[in-house]
Every structure is written in structure tokens, then in C-alpha cells.
Amino acid sequence: MEKSKPKTLLTSVFKPYCVDNEYSRRLNPMELLHNQVTREQGIFSIRMFHPSWGLHMIAANISAQTTVLDFPTLKRLKKELKKGNFDYVGISFIMCNFLKAKKMAELVRELSPRSKIILGGHGSQIEDLKDLAGSDYIVKGEGIRWFRGLLGDPVDAPIKHPLSYATFSARMLGLPYPQVDVAIIPGVGCWNACNFCSTTHLFGKKHLHFYDSGKELYKIMEGLERKTRKNKFFIMDENFLKHKKRFLELAEEVEKNQKIWEFDVFASAEALTQFDLDWLAKIGVATVWMGIESKFDVYPKNRNIDFKELADELNKRGIFTIFSSILFLDCHDKNNIYEDIDFILSLKPDMTQFMIYTPIPGTALYAEKKQKNELLDVSFEDRHGQYQLCHKHPNFSQFESEKIIADAFKKDFYLLGPSLYRIINKRFLKYLYTKKHCGSDPIMKKRMDWAKKNLYTALPSLFAMRFFTPNKQIRKEMMKLWRNISKELGIIPKLKYSPFYLIVLIALCIEYLKCNILKITREPKTFVTRYN
């Protein structure tokens, strides 16, 4: 008689998220961009949620009958536990959601006592976690091979890539934004070993490849393109371009098959500058998220980099930029911290991420601050890098950080305008760049046509945004951009999309009411996915 498959539940932590209660903080919503990038842009903030890709990667690659519960309520979790008869329940969480993971573990003990509890994710590095949360197992590091070992599956079997989109429930200017990016996860971890980075330390200061070959990645992406009819890929890899050989193999296949794909990537400056930027634009690198960190404390990945020149070269090719900056480094004082803020804004990124220098358990920074007895007693739910200092600082008190980081985001918004305006401007620059360089190159010609097509909906957005943008100079620049795009596109697109001018204006007024008067918060919907 064939042995039945074990049953596994993999779940993210329960909602609501954007509230002040015993488990959560309003200042820490589940929306990454609205939380850490566009948080002070009000009605212009880019709103979207991201699935728990790691849970789906694990579920697709183990033999157990697996249920993935993403963004559950406690009520839905209880329902699954009562009916599921699970052998294992895996809970993924980050440090600021520890109390939620602990509550969920308690519910497992109560409602499904035969289940073994497994805790994983970035929160797994919390000290004494097993005792604090009452779990049976802690997964520190890569989860697919760990679960395979637990279940007796072949540990080094090829890794299947499930279909998952990069985002869901995306909204811009109060209107729903269509699903465009397919998520690709080539591996986990990072070689760079920055002292503050939880990811690099979680995976042993290494990058663990799921796919070593660019040809293998190409086949996966081509298959997902056929299923979804999407040609835009969000590459969830901490430093995708650093694996140069793999990327060159992928690019060779893209060129050979004349794919008009676009890639949103994370890349360090040292990795990015390995390549010719014209070639990257031709291949389809559309967005680069890069850690600038600081002009005063230069990490090895950023040594000998002229960021002003690099940013200018990316911008003129129409490559979207998201630059990250760390505030309250040990070298920061009440003068040079503002120099760092001004420095990153001078690079004119399309989006800017500001984070507080925070010692996360498991990192070299945490070990250093603990050894020096400089850690502060801060609750888990307040350790998220957007509120208060979690260690003693030579030049700042614990709560001075709250105002300074908020001011940094406000300055970004006021000086550079809404990120959506910057994105539209970058789309136009991409169109002009491809138009200038296409010549007889069929790939560049197709990219020019694609870039032009993406400009059609920009005109109503630009027109409406100017009525709500506080900076007079930015309003003038918006209308100049509107005129330039109008001239380039001609009269037909203006007529075709003329009804949307009123629609966008009304949507922005409603969004203003929701955000500023009613104070409505957004929560992701619950997804339940069954595997095997």
C-alpha cells in the first residue's frame, strides 16, 4: 500500500498590518513602496502588494500536499488548521512581525496539536527564537532544500519555477494598475556581506543559485511569457547582474531570439559597471534598484564609483532608477546627515528609499552593537527601519530619527515631484533614446515602438497631477513634458485618451478624500493556493 503524502501548510503572518495594536504598527504597512519609498507622496504614492514568493517556491518543489496561505486573517488560519490535519505548519515572518508568528504558533498548538511548527524567513535570526515562539524547527537560510531534507525528497533535484506575478492590487493615482511583471527568482542571498544586511547574513554571506545557466533561465522565462503573454520580468535577486556569466548567457538567448523583454533588477554599482550601458538598454534592463547607502561611509560595492556620472548615464537611456540610502550611520551627525540626503536627491532617482541603520539579529552590525552594549530595548514590532533608532547613537537620541527620515521623504517629493511623474519622464527619455539609436537594428526598432506605446496613457496622468503637486516649478515641468509628449505622439492619441482626463481628475479627488479625510488604509486580499 502506497504511503500517503505528508500535508503541509505554509503561511505568511496574519492581517491587518497597517494598524496600531498589540501585533502591528500603522507606520509599517504591507506595501513595500508605500512603506519605504513613496511614503510621503500622499495621493501620488505608488500602492501595491507583493505575494510571498518564497512560500510558493517551496510548495512547488516538495512532495508534500501543500497549502499556501498568503495574507490570512486569524479566522481563515483557524479554519485551515481545524480542517487541514497538517503534519507541518510553516510560518514565514520578519522581525517586526514576531508577535504575529508567536500567536500563530500558539494557535497551531491549540487547534492542530499533532502538527510540527516550522519558523522561517528573515525573522528566523532572532536570538532564542525556538524558546520564544515555541516552535519545533527553525529554518535559517534556503527553504527548498531544507524542506526536501525534512520530507526525504531528493535534496538536489532541479528546482521548478512556479508562475507568480510581481505585484497584485496595484493602484496609481487612485486607479487600478494592470498586472505587468512576472516574478523570477534565480537564487537567494548576496556575496557583498554588507554589515547591516539581513539577507546576506541569513544565507551565509553567499549567493545560492537556483539556476546557474542563463539558458536555463531563458527557457523558464520563455515558458512564463507563453502562459501570461507578459514580456516584463521582476528579477527578485539581491544582485542579479553580479553573476556575470549567467546574465551574459541569458542576454545571448534574448538577442538571438529577438525578444523585446524588460527586466527590473537589483544591482550594486560594481556589478552594473561591468557592462556597457547602451548594451544593457538594448537587452532590456528597464529598472535598476541600487544601494547608494552614503557618501561618507563607502561600502566595498561602491568604491571608486562616480555616482553622479552613473546616474546621468542611466537617466539619459531611460532606465528607471530606485536608489537606497541609509541614514543614522555611526558617521552621521546633525549636519552631514542632511548632506547625504541632498547627495542622493542630486542623482535624481525616480524613487528613493530611506532606511534607518538598524541592527538586525544575525547581522555583523547586530553582533557589534551587542558586544559594545549599545542595543536599545525596542519592541519587535517597532524594529522596522522607518521609526526609531534601535541602538545608541553618538549624535542622535532614540526618537530624533522619526522626524528626520520623514523630512527626507518629504524633501524627495517636494524637490523632485511625484515618482509617477518622474517615471513618465523616464519613459519619454527611453522613447527618445531608442528613436535616436534604433537605426536598422530590429530589436531597437521594436523597443522604440514599445516605448512609444507606453506613453499613450501618460498625458491624462500628467495633466491631472499638476493640480495637486505643491512645487510650482515641478508643475511647470509637468506641463512642458505634457507638451513634448503630445507633440511627439500627435493628435490621435490625445483624442483617443481625452475621456481619461476627467476620469483621472475624479480618481485623484476620491483618493485625496480616502487618504486625508477618511484615513482609509489598504490591506491585501487573502490567497489560498493548493499544490500537489
Side-chain angles (χ1 to χ4, degrees):
M1 184 175 178
E2 187 179 349
K3 185 179 178 181
S4 62
K5 291 182 178 181
K7 296 185 69 178
T8 300
L9 173 66
L10 301 178
T11 179
S12 57
V13 294
F14 62 88
K15 57 186 178 184
Y17 306 107
C18 188
V19 294
D20 287 322
N21 62 21
E22 61 181 307
Y23 302 111
S24 301
R25 293 294 181 266
R26 187 181 181 88
L27 196 58
N28 191 34
M30 189 55 78
E31 301 168 275
L32 173 62
L33 294 182
H34 182 60
N35 182 356
Q36 300 177 8
V37 179
T38 59
R39 59 170 263 192
E40 294 293 339
Q41 295 191 21
I43 60 175
F44 301 111
S45 187
I46 295 174
R47 314 297 296 266
M48 59 182 64
F49 300 101
H50 302 278
S52 297
W53 304 300
L55 299 183
H56 293 277
M57 286 290 289
I58 294 170
N61 284 281
I62 58 177
S63 63
Q65 294 182 38
T66 304
T67 297
V68 175
L69 190 56
D70 221 351
F71 312 111
T73 59
L74 278 177
K75 181 179 179 180
R76 185 56 197 255
L77 174 64
K78 291 175 183 178
K79 180 180 177 181
E80 290 292 331
L81 291 174
K82 287 175 181 177
K83 73 175 185 180
N85 195 27
F86 296 107
D87 297 285
Y88 301 101
V89 176
I91 304 167
S92 177
F93 72 105
I94 59 176
M95 181 174 61
C96 58
N97 287 325
F98 165 74
L99 291 182
K100 291 194 172 194
K102 185 174 184 292
K103 173 66 175 177
M104 294 169 82
E106 291 168 356
L107 285 175
V108 176
R109 290 284 183 237
E110 176 189 344
L111 302 175
S112 185
R114 66 177 291 272
S115 302
K116 297 294 185 182
I117 299 171
I118 305 167
L119 296 182
H122 283 73
S124 65
Q125 299 191 87
I126 292 173
E127 295 174 298
D128 302 320
L129 177 61
K130 200 169 184 178
D131 294 333
L132 287 172
S135 65
D136 297 291
Y137 301 101
I138 305 293
V139 183
K140 291 186 179 182
E142 195 270 295
I144 296 173
R145 294 179 178 92
W146 188 95
F147 267 92
R148 284 174 169 176
L150 176 70
L151 298 168
D153 297 341
V155 173
D156 293 320
I159 292 176
K160 304 171 190 175
H161 200 295
L163 167 60
S164 183
Y165 288 100
T167 64
F168 65 92
S169 298
R171 294 182 72 82
M172 295 184 191
L173 306 183
L175 292 168
Y177 189 78
Q179 185 64 260
V180 292
D181 285 29
V182 178
I184 299 291
I185 306 175
V188 291
C190 182
W191 292 287
N192 283 341
C194 296
N195 68 331
F196 60 85
C197 179
S198 178
T199 298
T200 191
H201 289 85
L202 180 62
F203 298 101
K205 302 179 185 178
K206 298 175 183 177
H207 185 276
L208 307 177
H209 314 320
F210 293 155
Y211 313 103
D212 281 316
S213 163
K215 290 183 178 181
E216 187 178 12
L217 263 184
Y218 175 83
K219 287 179 181 177
I220 291 168
M221 295 164 83
E222 188 179 43
L224 293 173
E225 180 192 36
R226 282 196 300 270
K227 288 180 181 178
T228 64
R229 297 186 179 181
K230 304 294 183 183
N231 70 339
K232 203 167 189 302
F233 298 95
F234 174 76
I235 313 293
M236 185 59 248
D237 187 301
E238 290 290 320
N239 201 351
F240 182 59
L241 299 185
K242 189 158 185 173
H243 196 325
K244 186 175 182 179
K245 179 175 179 291
R246 183 179 63 185
F247 182 69
L248 288 173
E249 288 178 355
L250 172 62
E252 182 181 358
E253 295 298 312
V254 170
E255 283 192 285
K256 184 170 70 177
N257 294 281
Q258 294 195 12
K259 292 291 187 182
I260 310 303
W261 287 353
E262 288 195 342
F263 308 103
D264 295 341
V265 304
F266 296 83
S268 62
E270 58 162 0
L272 184 66
T273 52
Q274 295 178 99
F275 303 98
D276 176 77
L277 295 184
D278 285 320
W279 179 76
L280 287 180
K282 178 182 175 180
I283 288 301
V285 172
T287 303
V288 173
W289 191 324
M290 187 188 312
I292 308 294
E293 320 309 6
S294 170
K295 65 183 285 188
F296 298 106
D297 191 349
V298 180
Y299 285 84
K301 63 184 180 181
N302 291 334
R303 284 178 186 157
N304 303 315
I305 300 294
D306 184 336
F307 278 109
K308 185 68 173 69
E309 180 183 1
L310 179 58
D312 288 345
E313 293 300 316
L314 290 169
N315 288 337
K316 77 180 185 182
R317 288 166 175 81
I319 296 175
F320 301 152
T321 53
I322 307 175
F323 291 158
S324 296
S325 176
I326 298 178
L327 303 180
F328 305 97
L329 293 160
D330 290 346
C331 64
H332 278 146
D333 59 35
K334 294 180 181 179
N335 292 314
N336 67 18
I337 194 168
Y338 291 101
E339 288 185 51
D340 249 347
I341 293 169
D342 291 340
F343 169 67
I344 199 164
L345 297 184
S346 74
L347 305 179
K348 298 183 178 179
D350 299 302
M351 301 185 202
T352 314
Q353 180 190 43
F354 292 106
M355 294 292 291
I356 295 171
Y357 197 45
T358 303
I360 304 293
T363 63
L365 177 62
Y366 184 89
E368 174 196 335
K369 297 304 179 185
K370 183 178 180 181
Q371 193 272 329
K372 292 180 178 178
N373 197 30
E374 292 179 353
L375 295 175
L376 295 173
D377 185 16
V378 177
S379 63
F380 285 113
E381 55 273 23
D382 286 318
R383 297 192 222 176
H384 50 71
Q386 290 291 307
Y387 174 40
Q388 63 178 300
L389 287 164
C390 297
H391 67 283
K392 297 174 185 175
H393 195 284
N395 299 308
F396 298 94
S397 62
Q398 184 175 0
F399 291 98
E400 281 183 284
S401 55
E402 181 181 8
K403 182 179 185 303
I404 292 173
I405 195 169
D407 287 346
F409 281 112
K410 289 173 183 176
K411 191 170 188 178
D412 168 77
F413 171 52
Y414 185 78
L415 289 181
L416 301 181
S419 284
L420 184 56
Y421 152 65
R422 298 178 233 172
I423 289 169
I424 293 171
N425 182 56
K426 195 63 69 69
R427 282 182 180 176
F428 187 54
L429 291 175
K430 176 176 286 189
Y431 167 70
L432 295 177
Y433 170 81
T434 52
K435 182 181 179 182
K436 180 180 179 180
H437 291 86
C438 65
S440 60
D441 188 324
I443 292 181
M444 290 298 284
K445 178 65 168 63
K446 288 179 181 178
R447 291 215 176 278
M448 182 192 74
D449 294 339
W450 180 254
K452 186 174 183 178
K453 182 180 178 182
N454 281 334
L455 284 173
Y456 288 160
T457 58
L459 297 177
S461 299
L462 281 173
F463 186 82
M465 280 193 287
R466 73 189 179 107
F467 292 105
F468 297 87
T469 299
N471 186 324
K472 184 178 180 180
Q473 181 59 37
I474 295 294
R475 293 199 299 271
K476 288 182 179 179
E477 291 174 8
M478 281 181 179
M479 289 314 297
K480 181 181 178 182
L481 179 59
W482 183 88
R483 288 191 294 270
N484 289 337
I485 294 175
S486 297
K487 181 180 178 181
E488 198 68 36
L489 295 182
I491 189 67
I492 293 176
K494 283 197 288 186
L495 292 174
K496 182 179 178 181
Y497 288 92
S498 57
F500 288 94
Y501 284 76
L502 183 59
I503 291 171
V504 178
L505 270 173
I506 292 172
L508 271 173
C509 291
I510 294 172
E511 189 72 1
Y512 182 87
L513 178 67
K514 287 180 178 178
C515 293
N516 299 302
I517 309 299
L518 301 177
K519 306 290 185 183
I520 294 174
T521 59
R522 299 183 76 232
E523 296 287 345
K525 58 185 177 181
T526 300
F527 292 92
V528 182
T529 312
R530 315 285 182 187
Y531 290 82
N532 296 328

